[in-house]
Amino acid sequence: MSYRYATERTDHSALASGQVLRSAPGFPGFPVRLASELLQRAMVHLGDERARLWDPCCGSGYLVTVLGLLHRDLLTHVRASDVDPDAVAIAARNLELLTAEGLAERERELRRSALDFGRVAYVERAEAARDLAAGLAATGGDLPHESAVADVFTLTEPVDADLVVTDVPYGEMTRWEGDIPQDPVHGLLSSMGRVLPERSVVVVTARTRRVRLPEGVRALERVKVGNRSAVLVRARDITGI
Protein backbone atom coordinates (compact mmCIF):
# COMPACT_ATOMS: atom_id res chain seq x y z
CA MET A 1 0.00 0.00 0.00
CA SER A 2 1.11 3.54 -0.74
CA TYR A 3 0.52 5.99 2.08
CA ARG A 4 -1.64 8.91 0.92
CA TYR A 5 -1.68 11.05 4.06
CA ALA A 6 0.85 9.84 6.64
CA THR A 7 3.56 10.21 4.01
CA GLU A 8 6.40 11.37 6.25
CA ARG A 9 8.32 8.87 8.35
CA THR A 10 7.91 10.89 11.53
CA ASP A 11 9.55 9.80 14.78
CA HIS A 12 6.63 8.56 16.89
CA SER A 13 8.75 7.02 19.66
CA ALA A 14 6.99 9.18 22.28
CA LEU A 15 3.79 7.32 21.42
CA ALA A 16 5.27 3.84 21.75
CA SER A 17 3.32 1.61 24.11
CA GLY A 18 4.79 1.72 27.62
CA GLN A 19 6.62 5.02 27.12
CA VAL A 20 4.16 7.79 28.00
CA LEU A 21 1.07 5.73 27.28
CA ARG A 22 0.45 3.00 29.83
CA SER A 23 0.50 -0.66 28.91
CA ALA A 24 0.28 -4.09 30.51
CA PRO A 25 1.07 -7.67 29.47
CA GLY A 26 -1.43 -8.94 26.92
CA PHE A 27 -2.31 -5.49 25.56
CA PRO A 28 -0.53 -4.89 22.24
CA GLY A 29 0.15 -1.56 20.61
CA PHE A 30 -0.58 -0.61 17.00
CA PRO A 31 1.60 0.88 14.24
CA VAL A 32 1.28 4.65 14.72
CA ARG A 33 1.77 5.62 11.09
CA LEU A 34 -0.83 3.12 9.91
CA ALA A 35 -3.31 4.34 12.54
CA SER A 36 -2.86 7.90 11.32
CA GLU A 37 -3.28 6.86 7.69
CA LEU A 38 -6.48 4.93 8.39
CA LEU A 39 -8.07 7.77 10.33
CA GLN A 40 -7.27 10.28 7.60
CA ARG A 41 -8.65 7.99 4.88
CA ALA A 42 -11.85 7.56 6.87
CA MET A 43 -12.18 11.31 7.40
CA VAL A 44 -12.28 11.82 3.63
CA HIS A 45 -15.40 9.64 3.49
CA LEU A 46 -16.95 11.78 6.22
CA GLY A 47 -16.39 14.92 4.17
CA ASP A 48 -13.39 16.17 6.16
CA GLU A 49 -15.61 17.19 9.07
CA ARG A 50 -14.41 16.85 12.65
CA ALA A 51 -15.48 13.52 14.08
CA ARG A 52 -16.44 11.67 17.22
CA LEU A 53 -14.18 8.61 17.44
CA TRP A 54 -14.99 5.24 19.04
CA ASP A 55 -13.05 2.01 19.56
CA PRO A 56 -15.47 -0.74 20.71
CA CYS A 57 -12.64 -3.29 21.26
CA CYS A 58 -10.30 -0.83 22.90
CA GLY A 59 -8.09 -3.03 25.08
CA SER A 60 -5.72 -0.64 26.84
CA GLY A 61 -7.10 2.29 24.84
CA TYR A 62 -3.80 2.64 23.03
CA LEU A 63 -5.17 3.10 19.52
CA VAL A 64 -7.75 5.81 20.26
CA THR A 65 -5.41 7.66 22.64
CA VAL A 66 -2.70 7.77 19.98
CA LEU A 67 -5.20 9.02 17.42
CA GLY A 68 -6.43 11.65 19.83
CA LEU A 69 -2.91 12.93 20.44
CA LEU A 70 -1.97 12.85 16.76
CA HIS A 71 -5.17 14.34 15.38
CA ARG A 72 -6.76 16.47 18.07
CA ASP A 73 -7.66 19.00 15.39
CA LEU A 74 -9.83 16.42 13.59
CA LEU A 75 -11.67 15.04 16.63
CA THR A 76 -14.32 16.37 19.00
CA HIS A 77 -14.75 13.35 21.28
CA VAL A 78 -13.19 9.94 21.93
CA ARG A 79 -14.98 6.90 23.31
CA ALA A 80 -13.35 3.59 24.30
CA SER A 81 -15.19 0.44 25.33
CA ASP A 82 -14.34 -3.20 25.93
CA VAL A 83 -15.92 -6.25 27.54
CA ASP A 84 -12.92 -6.62 29.90
CA PRO A 85 -13.16 -4.34 32.98
CA ASP A 86 -9.41 -4.55 33.57
CA ALA A 87 -8.76 -3.36 30.03
CA VAL A 88 -11.18 -0.46 30.42
CA ALA A 89 -9.45 0.57 33.66
CA ILE A 90 -6.16 0.93 31.76
CA ALA A 91 -7.92 2.63 28.86
CA ALA A 92 -9.45 5.21 31.20
CA ARG A 93 -5.98 6.12 32.47
CA ASN A 94 -4.64 6.42 28.93
CA LEU A 95 -7.56 8.59 27.86
CA GLU A 96 -6.64 11.01 30.64
CA LEU A 97 -3.52 11.71 28.57
CA LEU A 98 -5.83 13.58 26.21
CA THR A 99 -5.89 16.41 28.74
CA ALA A 100 -3.26 18.88 29.87
CA GLU A 101 -3.62 17.78 33.49
CA GLY A 102 -3.37 14.10 32.59
CA LEU A 103 -0.13 14.65 30.71
CA ALA A 104 1.24 16.90 33.46
CA GLU A 105 0.51 14.22 36.07
CA ARG A 106 2.13 11.58 33.86
CA GLU A 107 5.22 13.78 33.51
CA ARG A 108 5.40 14.18 37.30
CA GLU A 109 5.00 10.44 37.76
CA LEU A 110 7.82 9.69 35.33
CA ARG A 111 10.12 12.24 36.96
CA ARG A 112 9.47 10.64 40.35
CA SER A 113 10.38 7.27 38.84
CA ALA A 114 13.58 8.79 37.45
CA LEU A 115 14.56 9.89 40.97
CA ASP A 116 13.50 6.61 42.60
CA PHE A 117 15.25 4.32 40.12
CA GLY A 118 18.02 6.57 38.79
CA ARG A 119 17.27 5.74 35.15
CA VAL A 120 17.71 8.25 32.35
CA ALA A 121 14.95 6.51 30.37
CA TYR A 122 12.34 7.87 32.78
CA VAL A 123 13.62 11.41 32.26
CA GLU A 124 13.30 10.96 28.50
CA ARG A 125 9.75 9.68 28.92
CA ALA A 126 8.89 12.64 31.14
CA GLU A 127 10.18 15.03 28.49
CA ALA A 128 8.14 13.17 25.88
CA ALA A 129 5.01 13.69 28.02
CA ARG A 130 5.80 17.41 28.16
CA ASP A 131 6.21 17.53 24.38
CA LEU A 132 2.91 15.70 23.86
CA ALA A 133 1.20 18.24 26.11
CA ALA A 134 2.58 21.09 24.00
CA GLY A 135 1.34 19.39 20.85
CA LEU A 136 -2.11 18.81 22.34
CA ALA A 137 -2.38 22.46 23.38
CA ALA A 138 -1.36 23.64 19.93
CA THR A 139 -4.00 21.54 18.14
CA GLY A 140 -7.07 22.21 20.27
CA GLY A 141 -6.40 21.44 23.92
CA ASP A 142 -8.20 18.92 26.07
CA LEU A 143 -10.14 16.30 24.10
CA PRO A 144 -13.42 15.16 25.72
CA HIS A 145 -13.49 11.41 26.25
CA GLU A 146 -15.26 8.55 27.99
CA SER A 147 -14.74 4.84 28.61
CA ALA A 148 -17.18 2.04 29.35
CA VAL A 149 -17.40 -1.70 29.90
CA ALA A 150 -19.53 -3.13 27.08
CA ASP A 151 -19.82 -6.35 25.07
CA VAL A 152 -19.53 -5.29 21.44
CA PHE A 153 -21.79 -8.15 20.32
CA THR A 154 -24.79 -7.22 22.47
CA LEU A 155 -25.00 -3.45 22.00
CA THR A 156 -28.50 -2.08 21.46
CA GLU A 157 -28.45 1.60 22.44
CA PRO A 158 -27.44 4.21 19.83
CA VAL A 159 -23.86 5.48 20.05
CA ASP A 160 -23.05 9.03 18.97
CA ALA A 161 -19.93 8.34 16.94
CA ASP A 162 -19.03 9.35 13.41
CA LEU A 163 -16.00 7.11 13.11
CA VAL A 164 -15.04 3.70 14.46
CA VAL A 165 -11.43 2.52 14.32
CA THR A 166 -10.77 -0.84 15.95
CA ASP A 167 -8.10 -3.54 15.82
CA VAL A 168 -9.83 -6.86 16.43
CA PRO A 169 -8.41 -9.74 18.51
CA TYR A 170 -6.22 -12.12 16.55
CA GLY A 171 -5.76 -15.11 18.85
CA GLU A 172 -2.18 -14.61 20.03
CA MET A 173 -1.95 -11.84 22.64
CA THR A 174 -5.66 -11.01 22.38
CA ARG A 175 -8.82 -13.09 22.13
CA TRP A 176 -12.52 -12.41 21.63
CA GLU A 177 -14.60 -12.40 24.80
CA GLY A 178 -18.27 -11.88 25.60
CA ASP A 179 -21.26 -13.34 23.76
CA ILE A 180 -19.14 -14.47 20.79
CA PRO A 181 -20.99 -15.34 17.57
CA GLN A 182 -19.76 -17.91 15.07
CA ASP A 183 -18.19 -15.16 12.95
CA PRO A 184 -16.91 -12.47 15.35
CA VAL A 185 -16.09 -9.87 12.68
CA HIS A 186 -19.54 -10.34 11.16
CA GLY A 187 -21.02 -9.93 14.64
CA LEU A 188 -19.00 -6.77 15.26
CA LEU A 189 -20.16 -5.22 12.00
CA SER A 190 -23.76 -6.19 12.67
CA SER A 191 -23.58 -4.46 16.04
CA MET A 192 -22.05 -1.34 14.52
CA GLY A 193 -24.86 -1.26 11.98
CA ARG A 194 -27.43 -1.34 14.81
CA VAL A 195 -26.04 1.45 16.96
CA LEU A 196 -24.24 3.95 14.70
CA PRO A 197 -25.65 6.81 12.61
CA GLU A 198 -26.00 5.70 8.98
CA ARG A 199 -23.30 8.04 7.66
CA SER A 200 -20.64 6.84 10.11
CA VAL A 201 -17.53 5.11 8.81
CA VAL A 202 -16.23 1.90 10.38
CA VAL A 203 -12.58 0.87 10.06
CA VAL A 204 -11.76 -2.70 11.10
CA THR A 205 -8.18 -3.95 11.16
CA ALA A 206 -6.86 -7.44 11.79
CA ARG A 207 -3.72 -9.49 11.46
CA THR A 208 -4.89 -11.36 8.42
CA ARG A 209 -4.49 -11.34 4.66
CA ARG A 210 -7.96 -9.85 4.18
CA VAL A 211 -10.78 -8.74 6.49
CA ARG A 212 -13.78 -10.68 5.23
CA LEU A 213 -17.06 -8.79 4.85
CA PRO A 214 -20.54 -10.36 4.87
CA GLU A 215 -21.91 -11.15 1.44
CA GLY A 216 -23.33 -8.09 -0.28
CA VAL A 217 -21.48 -5.52 1.87
CA ARG A 218 -19.39 -3.13 -0.21
CA ALA A 219 -16.05 -1.86 1.09
CA LEU A 220 -15.30 1.84 0.78
CA GLU A 221 -11.61 0.93 0.76
CA ARG A 222 -9.27 -1.92 1.60
CA VAL A 223 -5.75 -1.49 2.97
CA LYS A 224 -2.93 -4.02 3.42
CA VAL A 225 0.33 -3.21 5.21
CA GLY A 226 2.67 -5.99 6.30
CA ASN A 227 0.71 -8.58 8.26
CA ARG A 228 -2.24 -6.24 8.87
CA SER A 229 -5.29 -5.67 6.71
CA ALA A 230 -8.03 -3.10 7.12
CA VAL A 231 -11.41 -2.46 5.59
CA LEU A 232 -13.48 0.73 5.60
CA VAL A 233 -17.28 0.46 5.38
CA ARG A 234 -20.24 2.82 5.74
CA ALA A 235 -22.54 2.10 8.69
CA ARG A 236 -25.65 2.19 6.53
CA ASP A 237 -24.18 -0.63 4.41
CA ILE A 238 -23.96 -2.94 7.43
CA THR A 239 -27.39 -2.16 8.86
CA GLY A 240 -29.48 -5.30 9.15
CA ILE A 241 -26.80 -7.80 8.18
Side-chain angles (χ1 to χ4, degrees):
M1 181 201 77
S2 297
Y3 283 86
R4 297 178 191 163
Y5 304 101
T7 54
E8 297 183 7
R9 294 184 177 275
T10 307
D11 179 8
H12 291 305
S13 57
L15 296 172
S17 182
Q19 297 298 304
V20 177
L21 276 72
R22 298 174 174 88
S23 185
F27 295 104
F30 190 89
V32 174
R33 187 183 180 198
L34 177 58
S36 177
E37 175 74 16
L38 291 173
L39 181 136
Q40 291 179 83
R41 286 184 180 227
M43 291 297 295
V44 171
H45 294 285
L46 287 173
D48 291 327
E49 298 175 4
R50 298 174 75 199
R52 300 163 295 179
L53 173 65
W54 176 31
D55 184 351
C57 304
C58 70
S60 68
Y62 176 81
L63 179 54
V64 286
T65 303
V66 164
L67 288 173
L69 290 168
L70 280 177
H71 295 293
R72 170 63 183 93
D73 57 328
L74 298 179
L75 302 173
T76 60
H77 185 270
V78 168
R79 174 181 173 86
S81 60
D82 198 285
V83 71
D84 181 355
D86 293 335
V88 174
I90 301 172
R93 297 183 71 197
N94 276 329
L95 289 175
E96 284 301 313
L97 300 177
L98 299 175
T99 67
E101 179 52 38
L103 283 165
E105 174 54 36
R106 182 61 168 150
E107 180 184 353
R108 291 191 291 267
E109 176 187 342
L110 290 165
R111 292 196 186 280
R112 287 193 297 269
S113 295
L115 291 173
D116 292 343
F117 300 106
R119 293 179 58 186
V120 174
Y122 285 113
V123 176
E124 294 172 346
R125 294 177 191 176
E127 291 174 351
R130 181 194 59 203
D131 292 343
L132 289 174
L136 185 68
T139 53
D142 292 1
L143 179 54
H145 56 270
E146 62 179 311
S147 58
V149 177
D151 183 347
V152 69
F153 301 122
T154 61
L155 299 171
T156 57
E157 296 299 317
V159 177
D160 291 329
D162 309 296
L163 173 60
V164 167
V165 180
T166 194
D167 186 39
V168 300
Y170 48 87
E172 295 174 10
M173 293 179 67
T174 56
R175 290 175 173 79
W176 291 103
E177 296 180 20
D179 190 10
I180 308 170
Q182 182 175 358
D183 186 331
V185 172
H186 187 147
L188 166 70
L189 292 171
S190 177
S191 183
M192 296 297 96
R194 286 196 305 271
V195 303
L196 289 171
E198 287 188 348
R199 67 179 299 275
S200 299
V201 174
V202 178
V203 182
V204 178
T205 79
R207 289 195 179 182
T208 183
R209 187 180 64 82
R210 183 179 176 89
V211 179
R212 189 170 63 86
L213 291 176
E215 185 176 354
V217 175
R218 179 180 63 88
L220 294 172
E221 292 187 49
R222 287 188 177 275
V223 173
K224 181 76 168 68
V225 175
N227 63 355
R228 273 190 169 87
S229 294
V231 65
L232 286 69
V233 296
R234 185 79 65 181
R236 65 169 170 261
D237 293 334
I238 51 176
T239 300
I241 61 172

